[in-house]
Amino acid sequence: MELQVQVVDHPLVRHSMAQLRNRHTPPELFRTLTRRVTTLLVIEATRSLRTRRQPVETPLETVQAQLLDEHLVVVPILRAGLGMLDAVVELFPDISVSIGYLGLERDEETAEASIYYSKLPPIEGKTVLLVDPMLATGGSVCHALSGIFPQHPQRVILACIVTAPEGVATVNQRFPQAEIFCAALDRELNSRNYILPGLGDFGDRLYGTI
Ligand code: PRP
Ligand code: URA
């Protein structure tokens, strides 16, 4: 089955991805690049948000302007997703944005995700933007989505920085309604379920905990 994922292939994304992947990039620059890629990714991922018309007076005349007409619930998956949060929130100053948090951690041996924290605002009828930089086996994202979809959001958009074909296929199969956007679709997972070529452990590189 063809993978349903949109790769945001902007030259600035490609350039930043080269730096993010580089093993010598230090945490401070890694955090800056994470914000930069997230901005470019989320602009594309939210291209189809609804707008409504509203008259606005310029100094010269009245114009039928358009304002964003959706309430966005941003949900970063802790801990690495936190590195993407500020860039998302800063893009949406004029509509109400609320933030929910999900803490998920993969077992180092089995790669199975378990939840250790959950605080979500009401999401019924809302557009949920789930952010997690790495989609590897898809276990963490599927865990998150299995808590989100029963609450009847209008849409769920997933923004990841690096994805693996295995994880995309799993999410496509289990949650075909989830719209996936990423900066890179990599080759495969290794035997420890790390993405190849990937960039290593995102959370460790973001927070200098290697
Ligand atoms: C990483 C990453 C994803 C998950 C992806 O988190 O941020 O949440 O792994 O892997 P999966 O698709 O196989 O579930 P990790 O569990 O290492 O936790 P961290 O963010 O706290 O470092
Ligand atoms: N989580 C990461 O941080 N990196 C991977 O390659 C896979 C999961």
Side-chain angles (χ1 to χ4, degrees):
M1 206 177 76
E2 196 188 334
L3 297 177
Q4 298 301 313
V5 55
Q6 299 213 36
V7 182
V8 177
D9 190 26
H10 191 286
L12 285 172
V13 172
R14 282 188 236 157
H15 187 87
S16 300
M17 285 307 301
Q19 294 172 286
L20 274 176
R21 288 187 194 277
N22 188 332
R23 65 184 307 153
H24 300 298
T25 298
E28 190 182 3
L29 177 57
F30 195 90
R31 289 192 285 272
T32 301
L33 293 163
T34 297
R35 288 192 291 272
R36 189 170 300 157
V37 171
T38 302
T39 301
L40 294 160
L41 185 58
V42 169
I43 285 174
E44 201 51 43
T46 54
R47 178 182 281 278
S48 59
L49 289 188
R50 239 184 5 252
T51 56
R52 67 183 151 81
R53 288 182 175 276
Q54 178 157 311
V56 166
E57 284 182 30
T58 78
L60 302 173
E61 61 178 27
T62 301
V63 63
Q64 281 298 327
Q66 294 189 42
L67 299 179
L68 280 169
D69 193 31
E70 284 192 51
H71 184 105
L72 204 62
V73 180
V74 185
V75 181
I77 297 184
L78 310 182
R79 123 193 103 141
L82 275 184
M84 302 172 74
L85 180 62
D86 282 356
V88 180
V89 173
E90 276 170 21
L91 277 175
F92 296 93
D94 291 325
I95 58 165
S96 40
V97 174
S98 43
I99 303 168
Y101 294 91
L102 286 177
L104 286 161
E105 191 168 33
R106 294 201 322 172
D107 182 288
E108 296 259 314
E109 301 302 320
T110 63
E112 192 133 330
S114 58
I115 192 153
Y116 60 86
Y117 186 75
S118 174
K119 189 121 187 144
L120 294 180
I123 55 180
E124 185 169 351
K126 307 270 172 64
T127 298
V128 174
L129 178 61
L130 184 62
V131 295
D132 189 345
M134 304 302 272
L135 178 63
T137 63
S140 305
V141 161
C142 285
H143 210 307
L145 292 176
S146 63
I148 288 171
F149 273 114
Q151 297 186 50
H152 308 291
Q154 187 188 70
R155 285 171 77 183
V156 177
I157 302 169
L158 171 62
C160 301
I161 293 181
V162 183
T163 58
E166 293 91 331
V168 173
T170 299
V171 177
N172 284 168
Q173 196 181 6
R174 289 194 52 195
F175 300 98
Q177 331 81 299
E179 305 162 43
I180 310 176
F181 289 78
C182 67
L185 175 60
D186 276 8
R187 192 177 72 244
E188 61 183 348
L189 297 178
N190 70 10
S191 58
R192 294 181 55 232
N193 290 312
Y194 274 80
I195 301 175
L196 296 176
L199 47 71
D201 188 304
F202 203 99
D204 283 347
R205 297 199 58 194
L206 191 66
Y207 297 117
T209 51
I210 300 171

